[in-house]
mmCIF file with all atom_site columns, all heavy atoms in Angstrom:
data_model
loop_
_atom_site.group_PDB
_atom_site.id
_atom_site.type_symbol
_atom_site.label_atom_id
_atom_site.label_alt_id
_atom_site.label_comp_id
_atom_site.label_asym_id
_atom_site.label_entity_id
_atom_site.label_seq_id
_atom_site.pdbx_PDB_ins_code
_atom_site.Cartn_x
_atom_site.Cartn_y
_atom_site.Cartn_z
_atom_site.occupancy
_atom_site.B_iso_or_equiv
_atom_site.pdbx_formal_charge
_atom_site.auth_seq_id
_atom_site.auth_comp_id
_atom_site.auth_asym_id
_atom_site.auth_atom_id
_atom_site.pdbx_PDB_model_num
ATOM 1   N N   . LYS A 1 280 ? 38.909 189.633 171.621 1.00 0.00 ? 673 LYS A N   1
ATOM 2   C CA  . LYS A 1 280 ? 39.427 190.942 171.096 1.00 0.00 ? 673 LYS A CA  1
ATOM 3   C C   . LYS A 1 280 ? 40.938 191.022 171.000 1.00 0.00 ? 673 LYS A C   1
ATOM 4   O O   . LYS A 1 280 ? 41.531 191.586 170.127 1.00 0.00 ? 673 LYS A O   1
ATOM 5   C CB  . LYS A 1 280 ? 38.723 192.136 171.775 1.00 0.00 ? 673 LYS A CB  1
ATOM 6   C CG  . LYS A 1 280 ? 37.330 192.143 171.608 1.00 0.00 ? 673 LYS A CG  1
ATOM 7   C CD  . LYS A 1 280 ? 36.603 193.301 172.506 1.00 0.00 ? 673 LYS A CD  1
ATOM 8   C CE  . LYS A 1 280 ? 35.111 193.479 172.369 1.00 0.00 ? 673 LYS A CE  1
ATOM 9   N NZ  . LYS A 1 280 ? 34.547 194.506 173.150 1.00 0.00 ? 673 LYS A NZ  1
ATOM 10  N N   . ALA A 1 281 ? 41.553 190.631 172.105 1.00 0.00 ? 674 ALA A N   1
ATOM 11  C CA  . ALA A 1 281 ? 42.986 190.747 172.331 1.00 0.00 ? 674 ALA A CA  1
ATOM 12  C C   . ALA A 1 281 ? 43.773 189.966 171.326 1.00 0.00 ? 674 ALA A C   1
ATOM 13  O O   . ALA A 1 281 ? 44.862 190.292 170.906 1.00 0.00 ? 674 ALA A O   1
ATOM 14  C CB  . ALA A 1 281 ? 43.340 190.335 173.566 1.00 0.00 ? 674 ALA A CB  1
ATOM 15  N N   . THR A 1 282 ? 43.192 188.843 170.736 1.00 0.00 ? 675 THR A N   1
ATOM 16  C CA  . THR A 1 282 ? 43.880 188.093 169.721 1.00 0.00 ? 675 THR A CA  1
ATOM 17  C C   . THR A 1 282 ? 44.339 188.858 168.506 1.00 0.00 ? 675 THR A C   1
ATOM 18  O O   . THR A 1 282 ? 45.302 188.580 167.744 1.00 0.00 ? 675 THR A O   1
ATOM 19  C CB  . THR A 1 282 ? 43.163 186.798 169.264 1.00 0.00 ? 675 THR A CB  1
ATOM 20  O OG1 . THR A 1 282 ? 41.851 187.227 168.620 1.00 0.00 ? 675 THR A OG1 1
ATOM 21  C CG2 . THR A 1 282 ? 42.805 185.809 170.394 1.00 0.00 ? 675 THR A CG2 1
ATOM 22  N N   . SER A 1 283 ? 43.619 189.923 168.291 1.00 0.00 ? 676 SER A N   1
ATOM 23  C CA  . SER A 1 283 ? 43.818 190.793 167.097 1.00 0.00 ? 676 SER A CA  1
ATOM 24  C C   . SER A 1 283 ? 45.144 191.576 167.288 1.00 0.00 ? 676 SER A C   1
ATOM 25  O O   . SER A 1 283 ? 45.728 192.008 166.188 1.00 0.00 ? 676 SER A O   1
ATOM 26  C CB  . SER A 1 283 ? 42.836 191.635 166.718 1.00 0.00 ? 676 SER A CB  1
ATOM 27  O OG  . SER A 1 283 ? 42.566 192.607 167.889 1.00 0.00 ? 676 SER A OG  1
ATOM 28  N N   . ILE A 1 284 ? 45.701 191.673 168.489 1.00 0.00 ? 677 ILE A N   1
ATOM 29  C CA  . ILE A 1 284 ? 46.907 192.503 168.665 1.00 0.00 ? 677 ILE A CA  1
ATOM 30  C C   . ILE A 1 284 ? 48.143 191.720 169.255 1.00 0.00 ? 677 ILE A C   1
ATOM 31  O O   . ILE A 1 284 ? 49.117 192.183 169.509 1.00 0.00 ? 677 ILE A O   1
ATOM 32  C CB  . ILE A 1 284 ? 46.554 193.717 169.575 1.00 0.00 ? 677 ILE A CB  1
ATOM 33  C CG1 . ILE A 1 284 ? 46.070 193.324 170.952 1.00 0.00 ? 677 ILE A CG1 1
ATOM 34  C CG2 . ILE A 1 284 ? 45.586 194.573 168.991 1.00 0.00 ? 677 ILE A CG2 1
ATOM 35  C CD1 . ILE A 1 284 ? 45.982 194.320 172.079 1.00 0.00 ? 677 ILE A CD1 1
ATOM 36  N N   . VAL A 1 285 ? 47.827 190.428 169.524 1.00 0.00 ? 678 VAL A N   1
ATOM 37  C CA  . VAL A 1 285 ? 48.921 189.579 170.033 1.00 0.00 ? 678 VAL A CA  1
ATOM 38  C C   . VAL A 1 285 ? 49.550 188.688 169.072 1.00 0.00 ? 678 VAL A C   1
ATOM 39  O O   . VAL A 1 285 ? 48.735 187.859 168.397 1.00 0.00 ? 678 VAL A O   1
ATOM 40  C CB  . VAL A 1 285 ? 48.335 188.750 171.223 1.00 0.00 ? 678 VAL A CB  1
ATOM 41  C CG1 . VAL A 1 285 ? 49.607 187.892 171.864 1.00 0.00 ? 678 VAL A CG1 1
ATOM 42  C CG2 . VAL A 1 285 ? 47.876 189.673 172.330 1.00 0.00 ? 678 VAL A CG2 1
ATOM 43  N N   . PRO A 1 286 ? 50.745 188.680 168.683 1.00 0.00 ? 679 PRO A N   1
ATOM 44  C CA  . PRO A 1 286 ? 51.384 187.737 167.624 1.00 0.00 ? 679 PRO A CA  1
ATOM 45  C C   . PRO A 1 286 ? 51.170 186.370 167.889 1.00 0.00 ? 679 PRO A C   1
ATOM 46  O O   . PRO A 1 286 ? 51.095 186.017 169.083 1.00 0.00 ? 679 PRO A O   1
ATOM 47  C CB  . PRO A 1 286 ? 52.867 188.239 167.624 1.00 0.00 ? 679 PRO A CB  1
ATOM 48  C CG  . PRO A 1 286 ? 53.110 188.790 169.002 1.00 0.00 ? 679 PRO A CG  1
ATOM 49  C CD  . PRO A 1 286 ? 51.780 189.558 169.375 1.00 0.00 ? 679 PRO A CD  1
ATOM 50  N N   . PHE A 1 287 ? 51.123 185.635 166.843 1.00 0.00 ? 680 PHE A N   1
ATOM 51  C CA  . PHE A 1 287 ? 50.804 184.230 166.864 1.00 0.00 ? 680 PHE A CA  1
ATOM 52  C C   . PHE A 1 287 ? 51.979 183.500 167.569 1.00 0.00 ? 680 PHE A C   1
ATOM 53  O O   . PHE A 1 287 ? 53.209 183.820 167.465 1.00 0.00 ? 680 PHE A O   1
ATOM 54  C CB  . PHE A 1 287 ? 50.730 183.686 165.360 1.00 0.00 ? 680 PHE A CB  1
ATOM 55  C CG  . PHE A 1 287 ? 50.767 182.146 165.458 1.00 0.00 ? 680 PHE A CG  1
ATOM 56  C CD1 . PHE A 1 287 ? 49.632 181.408 165.678 1.00 0.00 ? 680 PHE A CD1 1
ATOM 57  C CD2 . PHE A 1 287 ? 51.866 181.417 165.067 1.00 0.00 ? 680 PHE A CD2 1
ATOM 58  C CE1 . PHE A 1 287 ? 49.580 180.081 165.677 1.00 0.00 ? 680 PHE A CE1 1
ATOM 59  C CE2 . PHE A 1 287 ? 51.888 179.949 165.150 1.00 0.00 ? 680 PHE A CE2 1
ATOM 60  C CZ  . PHE A 1 287 ? 50.781 179.222 165.399 1.00 0.00 ? 680 PHE A CZ  1
ATOM 61  N N   . PHE A 1 288 ? 51.649 182.548 168.380 1.00 0.00 ? 681 PHE A N   1
ATOM 62  C CA  . PHE A 1 288 ? 52.637 181.613 169.112 1.00 0.00 ? 681 PHE A CA  1
ATOM 63  C C   . PHE A 1 288 ? 52.052 180.339 169.097 1.00 0.00 ? 681 PHE A C   1
ATOM 64  O O   . PHE A 1 288 ? 50.776 180.069 169.627 1.00 0.00 ? 681 PHE A O   1
ATOM 65  C CB  . PHE A 1 288 ? 52.985 182.105 170.581 1.00 0.00 ? 681 PHE A CB  1
ATOM 66  C CG  . PHE A 1 288 ? 54.222 181.353 171.003 1.00 0.00 ? 681 PHE A CG  1
ATOM 67  C CD1 . PHE A 1 288 ? 55.411 181.345 170.511 1.00 0.00 ? 681 PHE A CD1 1
ATOM 68  C CD2 . PHE A 1 288 ? 53.933 180.625 172.234 1.00 0.00 ? 681 PHE A CD2 1
ATOM 69  C CE1 . PHE A 1 288 ? 56.413 180.782 171.109 1.00 0.00 ? 681 PHE A CE1 1
ATOM 70  C CE2 . PHE A 1 288 ? 54.908 179.980 172.850 1.00 0.00 ? 681 PHE A CE2 1
ATOM 71  C CZ  . PHE A 1 288 ? 56.206 179.974 172.353 1.00 0.00 ? 681 PHE A CZ  1
ATOM 72  N N   . TRP A 1 289 ? 52.804 179.322 168.675 1.00 0.00 ? 682 TRP A N   1
ATOM 73  C CA  . TRP A 1 289 ? 52.177 177.911 168.304 1.00 0.00 ? 682 TRP A CA  1
ATOM 74  C C   . TRP A 1 289 ? 51.785 177.156 169.633 1.00 0.00 ? 682 TRP A C   1
ATOM 75  O O   . TRP A 1 289 ? 50.986 176.247 169.537 1.00 0.00 ? 682 TRP A O   1
ATOM 76  C CB  . TRP A 1 289 ? 53.115 177.068 167.483 1.00 0.00 ? 682 TRP A CB  1
ATOM 77  C CG  . TRP A 1 289 ? 54.267 176.595 168.158 1.00 0.00 ? 682 TRP A CG  1
ATOM 78  C CD1 . TRP A 1 289 ? 55.478 177.135 168.486 1.00 0.00 ? 682 TRP A CD1 1
ATOM 79  C CD2 . TRP A 1 289 ? 54.459 175.250 168.757 1.00 0.00 ? 682 TRP A CD2 1
ATOM 80  N NE1 . TRP A 1 289 ? 56.328 176.313 169.016 1.00 0.00 ? 682 TRP A NE1 1
ATOM 81  C CE2 . TRP A 1 289 ? 55.609 175.161 169.260 1.00 0.00 ? 682 TRP A CE2 1
ATOM 82  C CE3 . TRP A 1 289 ? 53.582 174.194 168.810 1.00 0.00 ? 682 TRP A CE3 1
ATOM 83  C CZ2 . TRP A 1 289 ? 56.155 174.054 170.033 1.00 0.00 ? 682 TRP A CZ2 1
ATOM 84  C CZ3 . TRP A 1 289 ? 53.971 172.972 169.513 1.00 0.00 ? 682 TRP A CZ3 1
ATOM 85  C CH2 . TRP A 1 289 ? 55.282 172.975 169.962 1.00 0.00 ? 682 TRP A CH2 1
ATOM 86  N N   . LEU A 1 290 ? 52.371 177.379 170.838 1.00 0.00 ? 683 LEU A N   1
ATOM 87  C CA  . LEU A 1 290 ? 52.126 176.742 171.911 1.00 0.00 ? 683 LEU A CA  1
ATOM 88  C C   . LEU A 1 290 ? 50.704 177.287 172.517 1.00 0.00 ? 683 LEU A C   1
ATOM 89  O O   . LEU A 1 290 ? 50.749 178.391 173.053 1.00 0.00 ? 683 LEU A O   1
ATOM 90  C CB  . LEU A 1 290 ? 53.045 176.771 173.053 1.00 0.00 ? 683 LEU A CB  1
ATOM 91  C CG  . LEU A 1 290 ? 54.371 176.043 172.761 1.00 0.00 ? 683 LEU A CG  1
ATOM 92  C CD1 . LEU A 1 290 ? 55.468 176.395 173.817 1.00 0.00 ? 683 LEU A CD1 1
ATOM 93  C CD2 . LEU A 1 290 ? 54.016 174.524 172.927 1.00 0.00 ? 683 LEU A CD2 1
ATOM 94  N N   . GLU A 1 291 ? 49.628 176.612 172.383 1.00 0.00 ? 684 GLU A N   1
ATOM 95  C CA  . GLU A 1 291 ? 48.281 177.129 172.556 1.00 0.00 ? 684 GLU A CA  1
ATOM 96  C C   . GLU A 1 291 ? 48.042 177.592 173.929 1.00 0.00 ? 684 GLU A C   1
ATOM 97  O O   . GLU A 1 291 ? 47.291 178.531 174.205 1.00 0.00 ? 684 GLU A O   1
ATOM 98  C CB  . GLU A 1 291 ? 47.315 176.034 172.099 1.00 0.00 ? 684 GLU A CB  1
ATOM 99  C CG  . GLU A 1 291 ? 45.824 176.394 172.607 1.00 0.00 ? 684 GLU A CG  1
ATOM 100 C CD  . GLU A 1 291 ? 45.517 175.505 173.900 1.00 0.00 ? 684 GLU A CD  1
ATOM 101 O OE1 . GLU A 1 291 ? 46.088 174.458 174.129 1.00 0.00 ? 684 GLU A OE1 1
ATOM 102 O OE2 . GLU A 1 291 ? 44.681 176.030 174.542 1.00 0.00 ? 684 GLU A OE2 1
ATOM 103 N N   . ASP A 1 292 ? 48.530 176.748 174.887 1.00 0.00 ? 685 ASP A N   1
ATOM 104 C CA  . ASP A 1 292 ? 48.256 177.113 176.367 1.00 0.00 ? 685 ASP A CA  1
ATOM 105 C C   . ASP A 1 292 ? 48.945 178.400 176.703 1.00 0.00 ? 685 ASP A C   1
ATOM 106 O O   . ASP A 1 292 ? 48.481 179.202 177.501 1.00 0.00 ? 685 ASP A O   1
ATOM 107 C CB  . ASP A 1 292 ? 48.614 175.901 177.307 1.00 0.00 ? 685 ASP A CB  1
ATOM 108 C CG  . ASP A 1 292 ? 49.932 175.224 176.906 1.00 0.00 ? 685 ASP A CG  1
ATOM 109 O OD1 . ASP A 1 292 ? 50.718 175.738 175.998 1.00 0.00 ? 685 ASP A OD1 1
ATOM 110 O OD2 . ASP A 1 292 ? 50.300 174.181 177.592 1.00 0.00 ? 685 ASP A OD2 1
ATOM 111 N N   . VAL A 1 293 ? 50.277 178.551 176.318 1.00 0.00 ? 686 VAL A N   1
ATOM 112 C CA  . VAL A 1 293 ? 51.066 179.798 176.587 1.00 0.00 ? 686 VAL A CA  1
ATOM 113 C C   . VAL A 1 293 ? 50.434 180.998 175.864 1.00 0.00 ? 686 VAL A C   1
ATOM 114 O O   . VAL A 1 293 ? 50.240 181.991 176.508 1.00 0.00 ? 686 VAL A O   1
ATOM 115 C CB  . VAL A 1 293 ? 52.540 179.600 176.018 1.00 0.00 ? 686 VAL A CB  1
ATOM 116 C CG1 . VAL A 1 293 ? 53.263 180.940 176.293 1.00 0.00 ? 686 VAL A CG1 1
ATOM 117 C CG2 . VAL A 1 293 ? 53.231 178.526 176.752 1.00 0.00 ? 686 VAL A CG2 1
ATOM 118 N N   . TYR A 1 294 ? 49.924 180.796 174.679 1.00 0.00 ? 687 TYR A N   1
ATOM 119 C CA  . TYR A 1 294 ? 49.363 181.899 173.932 1.00 0.00 ? 687 TYR A CA  1
ATOM 120 C C   . TYR A 1 294 ? 47.972 182.290 174.606 1.00 0.00 ? 687 TYR A C   1
ATOM 121 O O   . TYR A 1 294 ? 47.679 183.403 174.847 1.00 0.00 ? 687 TYR A O   1
ATOM 122 C CB  . TYR A 1 294 ? 49.077 181.560 172.486 1.00 0.00 ? 687 TYR A CB  1
ATOM 123 C CG  . TYR A 1 294 ? 48.518 182.740 171.718 1.00 0.00 ? 687 TYR A CG  1
ATOM 124 C CD1 . TYR A 1 294 ? 49.269 183.741 171.107 1.00 0.00 ? 687 TYR A CD1 1
ATOM 125 C CD2 . TYR A 1 294 ? 47.198 182.802 171.488 1.00 0.00 ? 687 TYR A CD2 1
ATOM 126 C CE1 . TYR A 1 294 ? 48.631 184.838 170.264 1.00 0.00 ? 687 TYR A CE1 1
ATOM 127 C CE2 . TYR A 1 294 ? 46.593 183.680 170.803 1.00 0.00 ? 687 TYR A CE2 1
ATOM 128 C CZ  . TYR A 1 294 ? 47.306 184.729 170.182 1.00 0.00 ? 687 TYR A CZ  1
ATOM 129 O OH  . TYR A 1 294 ? 46.784 185.749 169.473 1.00 0.00 ? 687 TYR A OH  1
ATOM 130 N N   . GLY A 1 295 ? 47.063 181.283 174.638 1.00 0.00 ? 688 GLY A N   1
ATOM 131 C CA  . GLY A 1 295 ? 45.722 181.489 175.057 1.00 0.00 ? 688 GLY A CA  1
ATOM 132 C C   . GLY A 1 295 ? 45.562 181.784 176.463 1.00 0.00 ? 688 GLY A C   1
ATOM 133 O O   . GLY A 1 295 ? 44.528 182.507 176.829 1.00 0.00 ? 688 GLY A O   1
#
Side-chain angles (χ1 to χ4, degrees):
K673 291 179 181 178
T675 56
S676 63
I677 61 169
V678 178
F680 172 81
F681 188 62
W682 76 274
L683 287 171
E684 167 261 335
D685 45 7
V686 175
Y687 181 87

